[in-house]
Amino acid sequence: MVHVFHYQDHYYIFDTGSSSLHECDEKGALLMREKLGEAVDTSCVTPEERAEYEADFAELEKQGLLFKEEVKVWPPKSNEVKALCLHICHDCNLRCRYCFADEGAYHAKREFMSLETAKKAIDFLIENSGDRKVLETDFFGGEPLMNFDVVKQTVYYAKEQAAKRGKKFLFTLTTNGLLLRDDVADFLNEEMENVVLSIDGRKEVHDAVRKTANGKGSFDLVIENLKNFVKIRGDKHYYVRGTFTSKNLDFSKDVLFLADNGFDSISMEPVVTDIPDLWITKEMIPEICAEYDRLCDAYLKREAEGKGFNFFHFNVDLDGGPCLSKRVSACGAGNEYFSVLPNGDIYPCHQFAGDKEFRMGSVFEGKLDEALRNKFKNSCLFTRKKCDGCFAKFICSGGCSANNYHFNGDIDEPYEITCRMMRKRIENGMHILAVRKAEEEKR
Amino acid sequence: MNKIKTVARPQITGCGECRSVGNQSCERIQ
């Protein structure tokens, strides 16, 4: 399929089958929309211009860069496990209003994972990883640093066991920063391949939703810890992850605030919640899309001034990117990626944690519910029928299974609000690619 | 090609080496 869109006065044609992006002018976009069957007024195009555009379209088609047939490659049916998310602590020292994890407790009792359970989880991953050499473990919560000693001992144990089997672990940890003391920061900097730091942006925005147990805002308690960690982190991977709600639809200001405070790798995600005064509704989408445009303009301006930063959702790799198999299977939740709760129970991912319908087994049982696993294994881009007509499908991979289930009751039924934001971010990401290419050609 | 400029034209399936999609790069290709 072919998608025509514009960003201000820049017009683009994206070919889904070849993943090629072309830039044209308004008349070219009009003619392509006409070619796609839309009723558009092309009276502004002269016969000579039309002939030139048609010649270009034909040349691109001949090169396989326009109207290229989409290839359907179904993902291989592997039983290898690749990654585990360890819920190292089902408790938290914050009481964020929008927390999908029920302020760390996941709608159950507050609980810490024991070292014994963590070791069993590592054993489970290694035993079920087949020929894979690189395995991943995420330390998640709640707030994982509330159980820091078990994090440390688990890392040492995993490295020791992996070395015996010729494998290697990549560790990630997500933290709100409250307990990020110097000794903790040094350990994370040494052992973690990536560290995710939670902060929502401006102090008043952050404090309105991210509160301590006694109801006070947490911004002043975490900001220096996070800044200090980023200083020692150097070139290693980290990013700050914020959440925006209906209370701060001007979230570009929060992204820029974070950039101004020395954070150069930033993600800002729409809230997923059922709290009426925070949730995102479809009526807000036009305003959110306009905000993504404001962010895109500022992003490019700062880049041109040599003050660029990395914004998670504007990164689109069209020249390279992963293979088709990866593009249609996405995150692998419930098949190659699982969450382990403090008691050892296994779930498809952290967003399904605690929903008994999705309990897949336990690290102490050592086996998985194969019927449930097959449900996830057989789900991919091509089973998400709504995605058939979407230009973003090979970039988005069909949305988040957990979001799809929680909003539509079906892991294969994409959630339209998320889809609309994703499509907008991808269009902006493509515009950024075009601007960068034009700048390169000038130099 | 007079009127249209190509911005991106992409040049292994399922080796599984990549990290746990749109902004990811294939490590083997790299």
Side-chain angles (χ1 to χ4, degrees), chain A residues 94-128:
Chain A
L94 290 185
R95 298 289 181 267
C96 304
R97 287 194 62 214
Y98 49 56
C99 184
F100 76 86
D102 179 34
E103 298 166 349
Y106 288 83
H107 308 285
K109 63 179 179 180
R110 297 187 183 275
E111 189 175 12
F112 286 23
M113 183 179 282
S114 69
L115 181 57
E116 179 200 11
T117 303
K119 284 181 172 179
K120 286 296 282 185
I122 294 296
D123 292 343
F124 173 85
L125 175 52
I126 291 175
E127 289 302 322
N128 289 281

Side-chain angles (χ1 to χ4, degrees), chain A residues 39 57 284 288 361 429:
Chain A
F57 292 154
M284 297 171 191
I288 289 170

Side-chain angles (χ1 to χ4, degrees), chain A residues 18-23 52-53 56-57 60 63 65 82 132 136 193 312 315-318 321-323 326 395 397 437, chain B residues 1-27 29-30:
Chain A
S18 66
S19 199
S20 301
L21 178 67
H22 313 287
E23 186 167 8
E52 279 190 281
Y53 286 114
D56 278 6
F57 292 154
L60 287 172
Q63 291 178 24
L65 302 177
K82 176 181 189 171
R132 286 184 188 276
E136 299 167 38
E193 198 269 340
F312 184 93
N315 293 332
V316 178
D317 183 353
L318 292 181
C323 63
K326 174 70 178 179
I395 297 171
S397 302
K437 179 150 185 171
Chain B
M1 296 282 287
N2 298 318
K3 293 288 193 183
I4 300 175
K5 185 174 77 173
T6 295
V7 175
R9 50 184 304 165
Q11 298 169 37
I12 302 165
T13 57
C15 74
E17 286 187 31
C18 48
R19 294 296 315 271
S20 289
V21 170
N23 69 31
Q24 188 174 41
S25 294
C26 171
E27 293 178 22
I29 290 170
Q30 282 190 327

Side-chain angles (χ1 to χ4, degrees), chain A residues 150-296:
Chain A
V150 171
V151 171
K152 274 204 303 193
Q153 298 306 320
T154 304
V155 166
Y156 298 145
Y157 178 77
K159 288 170 76 171
E160 181 186 308
Q161 296 304 310
K164 290 178 187 171
R165 305 284 287 269
K167 295 176 187 277
K168 178 188 169 189
F169 270 89
L170 298 176
F171 300 107
T172 299
L173 184 139
T174 299
T175 178
N176 60 34
L178 264 179
L179 299 175
L180 205 49
R181 308 180 307 263
D182 287 351
D183 60 314
V184 175
D186 288 343
F187 173 83
L188 297 185
N189 192 38
E190 181 66 30
E191 300 292 354
M192 297 295 140
E193 198 269 340
N194 201 352
V195 180
V196 183
L197 308 167
S198 300
I199 180 171
D200 282 356
R202 292 164 291 177
K203 175 177 162 61
E204 64 273 22
V205 168
H206 180 101
D207 282 348
V209 281
R210 299 183 66 83
K211 297 176 183 294
T212 61
N214 62 10
K216 292 185 175 171
S218 61
F219 182 88
D220 290 335
L221 299 172
V222 302
I223 185 67
E224 291 308 320
N225 286 353
L226 300 182
K227 282 182 176 179
N228 289 337
F229 180 74
V230 168
K231 267 184 206 154
I232 67 166
R233 193 62 175 159
D235 290 336
K236 292 182 179 175
H237 294 304
Y238 82 92
Y239 65 97
V240 291
R241 183 202 189 273
T243 298
F244 73 84
T245 72
S246 60
K247 301 281 193 193
N248 64 315
L249 295 180
D250 58 350
F251 57 86
S252 71
K253 292 175 181 167
D254 294 294
V255 173
L256 298 177
F257 172 86
L258 292 168
D260 288 339
N261 275 272
F263 302 109
D264 61 2
S265 187
I266 303 168
S267 150
M268 183 63 68
E269 305 300 317
V271 70
V272 176
T273 185
D274 56 3
I275 301 172
D277 69 321
L278 296 180
W279 66 27
I280 304 290
T281 64
K282 63 183 179 193
E283 289 75 20
M284 297 171 191
I285 295 296
E287 191 175 343
I288 289 170
C289 288
E291 194 63 15
Y292 277 124
D293 283 352
R294 280 188 278 276
L295 180 57
C296 186

Side-chain angles (χ1 to χ4, degrees), chain A residues 292-303:
Chain A
Y292 277 124
D293 283 352
R294 280 188 278 276
L295 180 57
C296 186
D297 288 345
Y299 189 78
L300 285 168
K301 182 170 181 285
R302 290 190 178 212
E303 195 164 276

